Amino acid sequence: MDGERANAARIYDYFLGGAHHFAVDRQQAERILAGNPDMAHTCRANRSYLGRVVRWCTAQGIDQFLDLGSGIPTVGNVHEIAPAARVSYVDVEPVAVEYARELTADRDDVQVVRADLGVPREVLDAVGCHLDLTRPVAVLAVAVLHFVDDDIPAILSRYRDAMAGGGVLAISHGSTDLDDPELAARTRAIQEGYRTSASPVFLRDRDELRAAFDGFELVEPVMRDVVDWPAPTGEASVGAYAVVGRRAA
């Protein structure tokens, strides 16, 4: 278990008020806050978006969820929002996986897998015994893809190819391709704050995020800040786009 370098999952837990982080994570978090004092709001906004998109999916009749980069469990986990659903949580961070397994040990409808979301075959092989991939699944990648230094469209295309028609892909992703230059500057400060951690940030523009949804029908509203999906909440924007797509039947 790596306690020598700060990790995104544990930093996120710190910002959300959790208890599963090390001193190195708290120190890195404070450096991030120095550049963007709104970072805790950003994390809470992403968590709230997760809740809204899960409820939207259940309203579409989806009862299976694959939560990529699920992080350390906190208030508002997918299985709590959709208690009748089957859920597979996937994360590569050992603290996140260990705690999630403890939290859900008595639930047959919840699976926790330690795997790298950037290796879709590994993930899909692991969850194939728990989720019925011949039926619609909601694949969630909330506040995680900007920690992936790889070809996001190529990675997500492999999940898409394994999805049945009617399945959903929902992401949130940090970006500086914003209409508000001050918000873009704060987002760059977040990126700089993570630079020396074990989880540096890789921001992408709107065109790159749209390209990740090739083969999906984008759900309105398209490319809105997470606080404004599916409708404005009145909260301050955080510089992370929400994008939701439906797999064509």
Side-chain angles (χ1 to χ4, degrees):
M1 194 171 296
D2 183 8
E4 298 298 319
R5 298 183 68 194
N7 173 273
R10 301 192 305 262
I11 293 171
Y12 193 68
D13 178 68
Y14 174 78
F15 282 131
L16 290 173
H20 297 273
H21 41 72
F22 304 138
V24 67
D25 305 304
R26 296 188 287 274
Q27 293 163 4
Q28 193 84 35
E30 291 302 321
R31 286 194 287 271
I32 294 167
L33 282 171
N36 186 342
D38 295 331
M39 186 59 188
H41 166 59
T42 298
C43 293
R44 290 192 299 270
N46 272 288
R47 195 70 182 176
S48 294
Y49 162 68
L50 172 70
R52 293 195 301 275
V53 80
V54 168
R55 286 188 288 272
W56 180 87
C57 288
T58 59
Q60 310 305 306
I62 294 176
D63 61 0
Q64 302 186 100
F65 292 86
L66 172 55
D67 189 356
L68 301 173
S70 51
I72 294 171
T74 185
V75 175
N77 300 298
V78 175
H79 70 275
E80 295 169 328
I81 303 164
R86 293 186 72 79
V87 181
S88 289
Y89 292 114
V90 176
D91 207 289
V92 74
E93 210 286 319
V95 170
V97 172
E98 178 182 339
Y99 185 47
R101 285 175 175 164
E102 290 177 5
L103 181 71
T104 62
D106 61 344
R107 298 194 59 127
D108 294 335
D109 54 351
V110 176
Q111 174 195 41
V112 181
V113 174
R114 186 180 180 195
D116 183 347
L117 70 85
V119 188
R121 185 73 272 155
E122 175 185 340
V123 173
L124 293 166
D125 285 347
V127 304
C129 61
H130 185 73
L131 303 178
D132 180 358
L133 299 179
T134 68
R135 297 176 50 245
V137 175
V139 177
L140 311 173
V142 175
V144 66
L145 294 175
H146 43 234
F147 295 109
V148 177
D149 181 18
D150 209 338
D151 186 345
I152 293 300
I155 290 171
L156 293 180
S157 71
R158 296 186 181 99
Y159 290 102
R160 178 203 65 211
D161 292 346
M163 293 169 67
V168 167
L169 171 65
I171 75 168
S172 67
H173 197 297
S175 178
T176 55
D177 183 10
L178 306 169
D179 297 328
D180 181 345
E182 292 185 5
L183 181 56
R186 293 200 299 272
T187 306
R188 279 191 292 272
I190 294 173
Q191 181 183 38
E192 179 60 24
Y194 276 96
R195 184 176 57 82
T196 58
S197 75
S199 312
V201 168
F202 305 91
L203 302 174
R204 294 175 173 90
D205 62 29
R206 282 176 268 201
D207 287 342
E208 290 176 292
L209 297 181
R210 285 193 182 91
F213 280 78
D214 182 41
F216 291 90
E217 300 169 350
L218 292 179
V219 174
E220 295 289 343
V222 177
M223 214 66 65
R224 293 282 182 86
D225 194 277
V226 293
V227 301
D228 293 328
W229 196 97
T233 63
E235 297 182 17
S237 298
V238 300
Y241 284 117
V243 193
V244 179
R246 186 183 283 109
R247 182 77 161 101

